[in-house]
Amino acid sequence: MTAVSMAGALNRALADALAEDPTVLVFGEDVGALGGVFRVTDGLEARFGSTRVFDTPLAESGIVGTAIGMAMNGLRPVVEMQFDAFAYPAFEQITSHLAKLRNRTRGRVSLPVVIRVPYGGGIGGVEHHCDSSEAYYTHTPGLTVVTPGTPDDAYRLLRDAIASPDPVIFMEPKRRYWSKGEVTSDPIPMNRALIRRPGKDVTLIAYGPMVATALETAEAATEEGWDVEVVDLRSLAPFDDETVCASVRRTGRAVVVHEASGFGGYGAEVAARVTERCFHHLHAPVLRVTGWDIPYPPPKLEEHHLPNVDRILDAIARLQWDDEVVEVRGA
Amino acid sequence: MVPTRELLPTAEPLSLLRKDGSPVEDSPLAMPDDDVLLELHRRMVVGRRFDTQATALTKQGRLAVYPSSRGQEACEVGSVLALREQDWLFPTYRDCVALVTRGVDPAETLTLLQGGWHLGYDPYEHRVGPQCTPLATNTLHAVGFAHAARLKGEDTAALVLVGDGATSEGDTHEALNFAGVWKAPVVFLVQNNGYAISVPMSKQNAAPSLAHKGIGYGVPSVLVDGNDAAAVYAVVKEAVEAGGPTLIEAITYRIEAHTNADDATRYRTSDEVAAWLDRDPVDRVEAYLTARGLLTPERRAAVAAEAEEFAAGVRAALNTDHEHDPMSLFEHVYATPTRHLREQAAILAEELA
Ligand SMILES: Cc1ncc(C[n+]2csc(CCOP(=O)(O)OP(=O)(O)O)c2C)c(N)n1
Ligand SMILES: [Mg+2]
């Protein structure tokens, strides 16, 4: 099998879904002739025609609001938000309607809508192009939120998201669009976390863009003599307590990593859940390595914001290896 | 599609019946058939009785809140009766009378306001979208729904109801634009009842009329007397048959306060209300039909009796105490309950045991 980029894997997932299910539609801003600003929809309009793959007027609330109406009428829209921060105009439609209509109608209305959101930094983007907006969505009951860390998962998770009867926020780590890997499409349930690297000393819990960084950290940690396990969450909501807690109970130590700001962030939920469920197995508090609690920085300074190998190694070093009191920093 | 439909509305609202019930001779609109007019009258009388009953039930504590549409029956009923069986209605919180006119069970219509659940009816049963409280959000659902129908090769139009205040929301503009670009078969009916809670038109809009906004989106627009049921029926019917999008502004008035919780004396005078009571939509049709000899005293009495019976049914349904199962809180959040919610449900079940 040949390696494919994450963008290519996503493109293949869209194409296969469009080919298999005539109710699937792909639309958004510049997804037609251009193929999307990240080329994820490249060639789809030409192949499937402009009634199934099309450019919409430039309005995010309009894109999601009309997708809701189309889903009510039996279609399966897959819509693209051009960048993380440009999905905010659609927030009302997502939180007040998309997430709630199944519940409001006691299951009579199903909204199988997928919203693809390229997110995160590390690409030298200017402001409004690098937000990590996942916690806004994970805090909203009724939404499923998933994010791939590899091309293989990009294909698999997107196919599963499109097949899901529930609305799915599909967060695409844009700095990994060009990372390559094989697409196997082995069946792994969408709501399960995966152990990307087994280890026995400490569990690194990561997702999306930070999976690769966590794996790099694990390699570097061998030099310090730490055997690091890396868990890729894949599904942020629902959260796979089982896989994560089994890992932490084995290792007794955990660090959660994400790009988004830490305060009130997704990692806080992970740390709380792990602590609640694994307290007696823990040798140290669960630490978080996250972006600072600042507006996303300009491109020339983003390297100081984003979690990196050194910062994660530093957190691992503070996990009471010698029965020292842990210094909680920054969080 | 009729390509020659006007993008700009007329300067004066289109009408068929004057406020005293006399017909407008040179109206460009087609007067509905006699049986339609009789049906408009019947459903307006029943709708109004439902509305006053709901207001009374609110005072008795049976409903948490009720936004009355008294005075707006020509819009609520005229527009819905102009729909075909296969068409869809996308209503707001104000439009309970439109819902019951469409055939939605009155108790199911009031479930939201009674507080038992967020919505009581099955949207697919009568082709009525969920009532939307976030202003103007339903406009986009209507456009998406109608566009999907078009893609599926179905002849279905969507009628979306919004208020004058809601036309200031971005979603209204996005929806008009999407509908214009997609040529989606959507009828936008703006019920301009003069106020958004307390805020008058003058603070909401600088255009000559709300209907003028259509031209910016390439959407044919119509200004109509919203207290003239015959005219509302005629313009909505024409818009549905035209096939593409239409923006209709209907000039009407909310006789009651915004909801029972509102004090309308803080922002409008009783003289203003009295002037609008004089232009009552039900009286107008009644006067016309009576003068034509179509509304006989017997029929009038029969309609009144039907309205009373309808209200009695609403009272009976709403005065019955229902059990609300706390465990149902965890249902239908996702298609399949998540493990996480099953765990929380178990905790609540323990609390209840
Ligand atoms: C997005 C949003 N903002 C504010 C409100 C609160 N609110 C409810 S009704 C209303 C006034 C709406 O006026 P209008 O659109 O003219 O409709 P009417 O109530 O007169 O029928 C307001 C401000 C809301 N429901 N949704
Ligand atoms: Mg109003």
Side-chain angles (χ1 to χ4, degrees):
Chain A
M1 251 192 205
T2 51
V4 52
S5 69
M6 183 180 283
L10 292 166
N11 180 272
R12 194 186 292 177
L14 291 172
D16 288 354
L18 282 159
E20 279 174 32
D21 181 350
T23 67
V24 172
L25 300 181
V26 171
F27 55 93
E29 296 159 10
D30 302 292
V31 302
L34 183 69
V37 292
F38 293 107
R39 305 295 181 266
V40 170
T41 59
D42 186 34
L44 297 179
E45 186 184 40
R47 180 169 162 200
F48 295 98
S50 56
T51 56
R52 298 197 56 207
V53 180
F54 51 92
D55 291 326
T56 63
L58 211 168
E60 293 75 15
S61 186
I63 291 168
V64 175
T66 56
I68 289 170
M70 290 184 206
M72 280 183 67
N73 203 351
L75 301 181
R76 295 186 105 81
V78 184
V79 304
E80 176 170 310
M81 298 284 109
Q82 202 153 64
F83 285 87
D84 32 64
F86 305 138
Y88 300 148
F91 199 65
E92 182 184 29
Q93 288 288 350
I94 294 173
T95 51
S96 291
H97 296 303
L98 187 64
K100 288 182 175 170
L101 270 175
R102 172 183 298 287
N103 188 249
R104 282 190 79 199
T105 62
R106 292 193 181 277
R108 283 133 169 177
V109 172
S110 237
L111 296 177
V113 175
V114 177
I115 303 180
R116 296 182 32 245
V117 185
Y119 79 113
I123 59 160
V126 295
E127 62 169 351
H128 311 300
H129 292 74
C130 298
D131 281 15
S132 289
S133 48
E134 62 272 25
Y136 300 132
Y137 305 112
T138 57
H139 195 59
T140 304
L143 297 178
T144 299
V145 185
V146 300
T147 180
T150 65
D152 194 18
D153 250 2
Y155 180 86
R156 194 166 24 213
L157 285 174
L158 187 51
R159 290 303 306 273
D160 288 349
I162 296 170
S164 169
D166 291 310
V168 179
I169 309 295
F170 192 87
M171 310 284 301
E172 300 176 359
K174 63 175 93 76
R175 69 198 278 192
R176 307 294 176 205
Y177 270 144
W178 304 279
S179 67
K180 292 210 163 177
E182 279 181 9
V183 170
T184 61
S185 74
D186 294 339
I188 300 166
M190 182 165 70
N191 58 5
R192 295 316 294 251
L194 273 180
I195 294 177
R196 292 278 172 205
R197 181 193 196 280
K200 54 184 192 333
D201 296 333
V202 53
T203 301
L204 275 187
I205 303 166
Y207 56 86
M210 285 290 112
V211 173
T213 310
L215 288 168
E216 255 181 81
T217 307
E219 282 310 310
T222 56
E223 284 172 31
E224 312 280 336
W226 293 312
D227 188 12
V228 175
E229 178 147 304
V230 175
V231 177
D232 174 0
L233 292 179
R234 305 171 76 245
S235 171
L236 305 186
F239 180 79
D240 182 359
D241 289 297
E242 211 177 350
T243 303
V244 173
C245 291
S247 168
V248 176
R249 287 188 190 117
R250 270 195 311 274
T251 62
R253 290 178 170 85
V255 176
V256 194
V257 187
H258 59 58
E259 285 189 14
S261 302
F263 188 86
Y266 188 76
E269 177 65 24
V270 176
R273 298 183 79 79
V274 168
T275 306
E276 284 164 358
R277 286 163 178 77
C278 311
F279 186 71
H280 293 292
H281 299 265
L282 286 170
H283 305 304
V286 179
L287 293 184
R288 288 170 289 164
V289 179
T290 69
W292 309 122
D293 297 319
I294 55 171
Y296 196 86
K300 298 218 161 120
L301 293 169
E302 71 176 341
E303 64 174 302
H304 303 290
H305 177 70
L306 294 169
N308 56 25
V309 171
D310 286 343
R311 228 175 253 168
I312 302 169
L313 282 175
D314 179 61
I316 293 173
R318 286 185 287 120
L319 289 174
Q320 275 180 345
W321 299 99
D322 310 310
D323 277 341
E324 284 166 25
V325 174
V326 171
E327 190 195 344
V328 175
R329 297 161 67 186
Chain B
M1 268 278 285
V2 188
T4 54
R5 299 175 72 229
E6 298 287 342
L7 289 181
L8 275 177
T10 48
E12 291 302 313
L14 296 175
S15 62
L16 280 164
L17 296 175
R18 294 197 188 81
K19 73 172 188 174
D20 63 1
S22 59
V24 176
E25 265 83 36
D26 53 355
S27 175
L29 302 177
M31 182 67 87
D33 293 343
D34 292 347
D35 55 340
V36 171
L37 291 167
L38 285 168
E39 186 63 2
L40 284 168
H41 170 260
R42 182 174 80 91
R43 304 299 282 269
M44 280 166 51
V45 170
V46 173
R48 173 166 296 182
R49 186 64 191 90
F50 165 84
D51 192 84
T52 50
Q53 183 60 64
T55 297
L57 284 163
T58 311
K59 288 181 182 142
Q60 294 155 19
R62 285 284 168 184
L63 298 178
V65 64
Y66 181 70
S68 165
S69 60
R70 196 174 141 221
Q72 301 180 211
E73 292 88 351
C75 294
E76 296 279 304
V77 173
S79 65
V80 168
L81 290 191
L83 294 181
R84 302 161 303 176
E85 176 90 13
Q86 73 267 31
D87 296 328
W88 272 67
L89 168 69
F90 288 84
T92 73
Y93 54 88
R94 176 80 57 213
D95 305 312
C96 289
V97 170
L99 262 69
V100 296
T101 304
R102 186 69 178 163
V104 177
D105 177 79
E108 290 182 6
T109 298
L110 293 173
T111 300
L112 163 70
L113 302 166
Q114 179 255 345
W117 200 251
H118 301 307
L119 194 82
Y121 57 93
D122 177 354
Y124 294 103
E125 191 181 344
H126 296 282
R127 287 167 295 282
V128 177
Q131 266 181 310
C132 281
T133 302
L135 297 171
T137 52
N138 53 332
T139 56
L140 288 163
H141 306 164
V143 174
F145 196 97
H147 185 59
R150 187 56 80 69
L151 293 179
K152 296 198 297 182
E154 293 164 1
D155 177 22
T156 304
L159 166 67
V160 58
L161 304 177
V162 282
D164 44 287
T167 66
S168 297
E169 291 280 2
D171 276 3
T172 302
H173 299 266
E174 296 191 17
L176 282 166
N177 190 44
F178 274 63
V181 172
W182 289 348
K183 301 184 172 41
V186 181
V187 183
F188 297 83
L189 178 64
V190 178
Q191 296 190 60
N192 181 353
N193 61 8
Y195 293 89
I197 308 185
S198 66
V199 180
M201 236 321 79
S202 59
K203 293 183 183 167
Q204 206 74 248
N205 165 60
S209 75
L210 296 174
H212 272 77
K213 304 194 184 220
I215 190 169
Y217 303 106
V219 172
S221 301
V222 178
L223 184 63
V224 70
D225 182 339
N227 280 20
D228 178 348
V232 172
Y233 176 89
V235 296
V236 173
K237 190 160 191 291
E238 195 182 305
V240 167
E241 283 163 4
T246 306
L247 171 63
I248 300 171
E249 176 187 1
I251 309 291
T252 183
Y253 196 77
R254 191 194 73 211
I255 297 298
E256 298 285 339
H258 173 69
T259 67
N260 55 293
D262 173 42
D263 175 8
T265 64
R266 293 177 74 98
Y267 55 83
R268 67 183 195 184
T269 64
S270 53
D271 285 355
E272 184 182 294
V273 180
W276 279 94
L277 281 169
D278 191 41
R279 306 172 60 175
D280 187 79
V282 183
D283 290 352
R284 197 181 294 202
V285 176
E286 226 165 71
Y288 175 74
L289 290 171
T290 307
R292 294 259 331 268
L294 292 165
L295 187 63
T296 59
E298 294 75 41
R299 180 170 169 106
R300 205 171 155 151
V303 168
E306 183 190 341
E308 279 315 314
E309 201 181 315
F310 195 82
V314 175
R315 275 198 305 278
L318 271 290
N319 282 328
T320 310
D321 288 314
H322 295 281
E323 288 287 316
H324 299 292
D325 178 12
M327 296 313 294
S328 72
L329 288 173
F330 296 95
E331 290 166 9
H332 306 301
V333 182
Y334 296 93
T336 312
T338 58
R339 183 195 176 105
H340 177 65
L341 287 182
R342 286 200 309 272
E343 284 171 11
Q344 294 193 347
I347 297 168
L348 180 60
E350 242 174 74
E351 275 179 30
L352 296 169

